[in-house]
Amino acid sequence: MNDSAHYRGRFAPTPSGPLHFGSLVAALGSYLDARAAQGRWLVRIEDIDPPRCPEGAASTILHQLETFGLEWDEAVMWQHTRGDTYQHALDRLIQLDLAYPCSCSRKQWQAFEIYPGWCREGVCDPNKPLAWRLRSDRGERPIRWQDRLFGEQQFDPAELGDVVLKRKDGLWAYQLAVVVDDAEQQITDVVRGLDLLDNTPWQRQLQSALQLPQPRYLHLPLIVTAEGQKLSKQNLAPALAENESGVRQQLFQALEALDQAPPKALATEPPATQLHWAIANWSLARLRPVGHRLTPSSHSAGD
Ligand code: GLU
């Protein structure tokens, strides 16, 4: 790859709880893609929603990454420190007539699939707390891009709705923060879970509006339970192993989940050995563009 010298990837967890197997696969995919391209790999803690982020969760995540040998370059970026920059971006969107204040509550529009845009031409109730929303109907439509695994993508952002950029309680929303920070960290390659594929149109729309560079995107298969549920902190997916043999086994299983076909003997090797092999052998061509992978059975992750 001729742009490999400039490759900059990132892992951007929300510290709402410890990492689970699904987050390990996302972190590992992003790490390997960056390291195989001799690029840099950064970590950004997406702690814009303090009520959802228990004390200590961010440091647990950083510790988990270290335990699995996923070492990052440069200082960790913390989103809770970035409010002024997000405000600046929102001000610019307001100037461009791409963001508008909205007083509507979820309850008011619950009969609709997406927010119907009632406040677009003027706030319905200026006495209520106001959120800020994106005019998803303005700008390039449809939004098209090439996902590195899932190929040609095409979405009409207006069908996805006027996403919230700043919440009524004053907290920043993910879509704006992620775009501003991917640009700040000069990210060239976003590698993350498939659950965020349909967030990408808003992010690309925001990048164009704010005249920010557009990274390449690689969405990775999601890890699901036998019932087809995505592993998540909400459904209490178990935290990653802490003991040595559990760590080795889960790292190996994460390589398998990424279809890298690691040799069996690697399963009991320490993270550094496994990662050394995985970087040298990283192959996106091996990764099947299938949306889901089953979680390895939990009994094998123990002791
Ligand atoms: N913070 C998001 C999450 O934990 C990921 C953001 C991203 O990779 O764009 O789901």
Side-chain angles (χ1 to χ4, degrees):
M1 199 164 76
N2 53 16
D3 58 346
S4 61
H6 307 292
Y7 185 116
R8 290 171 69 82
R10 68 5 174 229
F11 178 56
T14 301
S16 52
L19 301 180
H20 50 72
F21 186 72
S23 19
L24 174 64
V25 170
L28 180 64
S30 157
Y31 172 90
L32 292 176
D33 197 56
R35 291 287 181 247
Q38 278 122 40
R40 299 208 141 222
W41 189 65
L42 314 185
V43 170
R44 180 170 71 232
I45 299 291
E46 301 210 319
D47 55 350
I48 36 175
D49 188 352
R52 269 186 61 211
C53 301
E55 182 88 28
S59 55
T60 301
I61 289 177
L62 295 175
H63 179 71
Q64 288 177 305
L65 291 173
E66 281 168 347
T67 304
F68 280 80
L70 302 175
E71 283 170 15
W72 57 91
D73 304 306
E74 305 180 16
V76 171
M77 178 179 270
W78 298 80
Q79 286 195 326
H80 75 267
T81 65
R82 308 260 311 138
D84 292 350
T85 314
Y86 304 147
Q87 187 61 53
H88 212 73
L90 178 61
D91 291 344
R92 179 76 192 128
L93 294 167
I94 296 169
Q95 248 174 30
L96 293 166
D97 227 355
L98 290 174
Y100 64 93
C102 173
S103 61
C104 300
S105 64
R106 188 81 168 87
K107 216 168 146 202
Q108 286 174 291
W109 56 273
Q110 64 186 356
F112 298 82
E113 237 171 76
I114 58 170
Y115 174 63
W118 293 324
C119 288
R120 277 181 178 172
E121 308 309 331
V123 187
C124 295
D125 186 349
N127 298 318
K128 281 211 190 137
L130 300 174
W132 287 85
R133 288 182 181 274
L134 175 68
R135 282 291 298 235
S136 58
D137 59 331
R138 296 200 170 143
E140 183 202 328
R141 288 170 59 191
I143 301 261
R144 290 198 178 89
W145 80 97
Q146 201 65 30
D147 184 84
R148 290 173 57 207
L149 182 61
F150 291 95
E152 174 81 18
Q153 302 296 316
Q154 178 173 320
F155 287 84
D156 182 350
E159 280 172 21
L160 300 171
D162 290 353
V163 77
V164 170
L165 302 171
K166 190 178 191 179
R167 296 172 13 176
K168 285 183 182 173
D169 55 11
L171 293 178
W172 293 100
Y174 161 66
Q175 308 297 343
L176 184 65
V178 75
V179 160
V180 168
D181 289 343
D182 279 339
E184 175 73 24
Q185 293 188 296
Q186 297 174 40
I187 298 304
T188 61
D189 285 80
V190 170
V191 180
R192 62 186 177 190
L194 188 61
D195 52 331
L196 293 167
L197 183 80
D198 65 0
N199 286 223
T200 313
W202 288 310
Q203 295 174 18
R204 291 185 70 89
Q205 191 189 1
L206 286 168
Q207 287 153 359
S208 316
L210 296 166
Q211 295 184 294
L212 300 173
Q214 303 210 312
R216 301 191 304 166
Y217 288 90
L218 164 56
H219 288 90
L220 298 171
L222 290 183
I223 306 302
V224 297
T225 62
E227 295 77 46
Q229 248 196 341
K230 177 196 161 207
L231 291 195
S232 73
K233 292 158 194 159
Q234 287 73 24
N235 66 28
L236 303 178
L240 291 172
E242 290 172 26
N243 63 84
E244 200 174 280
S245 68
V247 166
R248 292 176 185 197
Q249 188 174 30
Q250 282 185 339
L251 186 58
F252 182 82
Q253 289 167 332
L255 289 172
E256 286 187 318
L258 290 167
D259 298 334
Q260 296 302 295
K264 285 277 169 283
L266 217 53
T268 51
E269 294 294 332
T273 313
Q274 294 198 33
L275 292 174
H276 183 80
W277 178 89
I279 293 167
N281 291 281
W282 172 244
S283 163
L284 191 53
R286 251 195 234 132
L287 186 53
R288 289 170 298 132
V290 175
H292 300 103
R293 298 284 184 281
L294 267 186
T295 182
S297 52
S298 47
H299 64 260
S300 56
D303 65 316

